[in-house]
Amino acid sequence: MVEKASFDFIKDKKFQWISTVVILLAIIILASNVRVSNWDLLNDATTGEKIPLALDPFYFLRQAEAYVANDFTMPEVDELRTYPFKESGWSEEIMPVANVFTWQIATIFSDLTLEEVVVFSPVLYFIIGLILFFLLVYSLTESKITALLASAFLATIPSYLYRTMAG
């Protein structure tokens, strides 16, 4: 017969938080693994460099490259959009600046290129967002189980999966 006192460790707050963190890390690792599963397919056949998956991330990459090439300011004219009779400026976006900032931090620890950082950035921002989402749900519900379930659902929603895949 199992004693009742043998399961008292489950009521310990420290054990509950450690279990919650371990489960949240498992959700993050599994969901991130799915999101980077296409990493090897994101190589340009002509140059061998990483390329984004869709048009918006490609535009963010062009903006980030222009931002770095122009001493961390955006040029006045987007030369690929300019028509001879009209000057077109850049769309004001925060994503290229965030990608350049992430790239600057990443170059401290590794030799990643700007292209690799831009291609990987949706996964990185997903991880940060999922942690913040967990904390938000926990602060609203004061339930670790509810926060873990909500985070697991968010990590596996197909429409959110496509928007946070590498590339």
Side-chain angles (χ1 to χ4, degrees):
M1 185 171 155
V2 178
E3 292 183 27
K4 198 174 190 179
S6 63
F7 293 107
D8 285 343
F9 69 94
I10 295 174
K11 296 178 183 176
D12 183 30
K13 293 288 185 188
K14 187 176 181 181
F15 173 79
Q16 289 177 357
W17 274 110
I18 290 172
S19 300
T20 302
V21 169
V22 167
I23 294 170
L24 182 62
L25 282 174
I27 291 169
I28 289 171
I29 290 170
L30 289 172
S32 298
N33 189 27
V34 169
R35 283 165 170 78
V36 296
S37 62
N38 65 343
W39 184 258
D40 294 334
L41 302 174
L42 297 172
N43 290 330
D44 186 358
T46 57
T47 63
E49 296 176 356
K50 292 292 181 196
I51 55 170
L53 185 63
L55 294 178
D56 286 346
F58 182 73
Y59 183 64
F60 296 149
L61 174 61
R62 278 196 335 104
Q63 282 184 310
E65 289 172 341
Y67 186 72
V68 170
N70 202 31
D71 294 327
F72 301 100
T73 58
M74 290 304 290
E76 291 294 321
V77 176
D78 182 359
E79 294 177 1
L80 293 180
R81 288 180 46 200
T82 302
Y83 189 72
F85 302 112
K86 180 181 176 189
E87 292 184 4
S88 279
W90 295 88
S91 298
E92 292 186 22
E93 303 281 346
I94 194 170
M95 188 61 107
V97 177
N99 285 337
V100 169
F101 179 71
T102 305
W103 172 64
Q104 288 175 327
I105 291 173
T107 55
I108 295 171
F109 303 107
S110 65
D111 58 346
L112 291 174
T113 64
L114 181 61
E115 292 83 10
E116 291 171 333
V117 170
V118 169
V119 168
F120 183 74
S121 67
V123 180
L124 176 65
Y125 301 146
F126 159 75
I127 293 169
I128 295 168
L130 194 64
I131 293 169
L132 293 175
F133 180 76
F134 170 83
L135 293 173
L136 172 70
V137 173
Y138 178 73
S139 69
L140 292 174
T141 63
E142 296 180 3
S143 170
K144 296 178 203 75
I145 294 173
T146 303
L148 284 172
L149 285 173
S151 299
F153 285 140
L154 181 66
T156 57
I157 292 174
S159 59
Y160 192 61
L161 174 67
Y162 173 73
R163 287 169 177 79
T164 56
M165 293 223 20

